[in-house]
Amino acid sequence: MSVYDFSAKDAKGESISLSNYKGKVLLIVNTATACGFTPQYRELQELYLKHQKEGFEILDFPCNQFKNQAAGSDAELASFCELHYQTTFKTFGKIKVNGTETHPLFAYLKAHSRGFLGQRIKWNFTKFLIDRNGRVVGRFGPITSPSKIETALVELFT
């Protein structure tokens, strides 16, 4: 099993199979637009633009479980990111990352990596680095800026 076995609805409500990303290096992030870490969108976009041609994709999953910091519709959240941070990577619909309604993709990600709180996700902007075979190879907490992930990311391109 790998991340390619999952699908999720994008911000437009269309089901997207993650198998569309086979062979790419992925950074999967649970995000929010009204969070202290929201400015990380800028660094995420810079990282994306810098490495997209090498087969890198960022998958943005808004999550409203942490103090309602991703309020609004899926379309509004995607629009906010595009307008304020000029994001061009894929934004999905809101999901849950903890609890009984955890999205199956995030259940898988958490089961294959441990963070500060074990398998639970502590907060918005937890980042999962995925290799070209769809395996979780790194988990980074919210305080880890995207630029600090670049070294681990670049190693996956070789």
Side-chain angles (χ1 to χ4, degrees):
M1 185 167 235
S2 75
V3 298
Y4 304 138
D5 295 311
F6 299 94
S7 62
K9 292 193 178 193
D10 67 9
K12 297 175 185 174
E14 296 177 26
S15 184
I16 305 295
S17 172
L18 270 61
S19 66
N20 293 343
Y21 298 98
K22 276 188 177 180
K24 301 214 180 231
V25 173
L26 305 176
L27 189 64
I28 299 175
V29 188
N30 70 297
T31 62
T33 54
C35 172
F37 296 112
T38 299
Q40 285 189 18
Y41 272 118
R42 186 173 291 108
E43 280 187 62
L44 287 168
Q45 179 63 20
E46 289 170 3
L47 199 61
Y48 180 61
L49 290 175
K50 187 173 180 181
H51 295 288
Q52 181 185 18
K53 290 180 182 173
E54 297 166 86
F56 175 56
E57 293 290 336
I58 294 175
L59 307 183
D60 172 10
F61 286 88
C63 177
N64 199 35
Q65 283 187 289
F66 304 102
K67 294 198 176 195
N68 298 315
Q69 294 181 339
S73 71
D74 293 340
E76 289 169 336
L77 295 172
S79 177
F80 172 89
C81 297
E82 292 166 7
L83 290 172
H84 293 277
Y85 295 99
Q86 292 73 50
T87 58
T88 56
F89 46 81
K90 186 71 170 175
T91 299
F92 286 82
K94 274 192 273 191
I95 50 107
K96 293 193 176 176
V97 298
N98 288 326
T100 59
E101 296 179 55
T102 297
H103 189 281
L105 170 63
F106 276 80
Y108 173 84
L109 294 170
K110 294 186 312 180
H112 289 86
S113 63
R114 298 185 73 71
F116 180 73
L117 298 177
Q119 286 190 4
R120 285 187 59 78
I121 291 180
K122 181 180 179 180
W123 203 256
N124 299 310
F125 288 88
T126 297
K127 302 156 207 70
F128 295 90
L129 186 58
I130 313 299
D131 71 11
R132 292 185 188 274
N133 296 308
R135 294 182 303 236
V136 181
V137 295
R139 177 175 173 162
F140 304 90
I143 62 169
T144 303
S145 70
S147 63
K148 300 289 184 193
I149 298 170
E150 189 169 15
T151 301
L153 170 70
V154 169
E155 288 176 6
L156 297 175
F157 294 135
T158 57

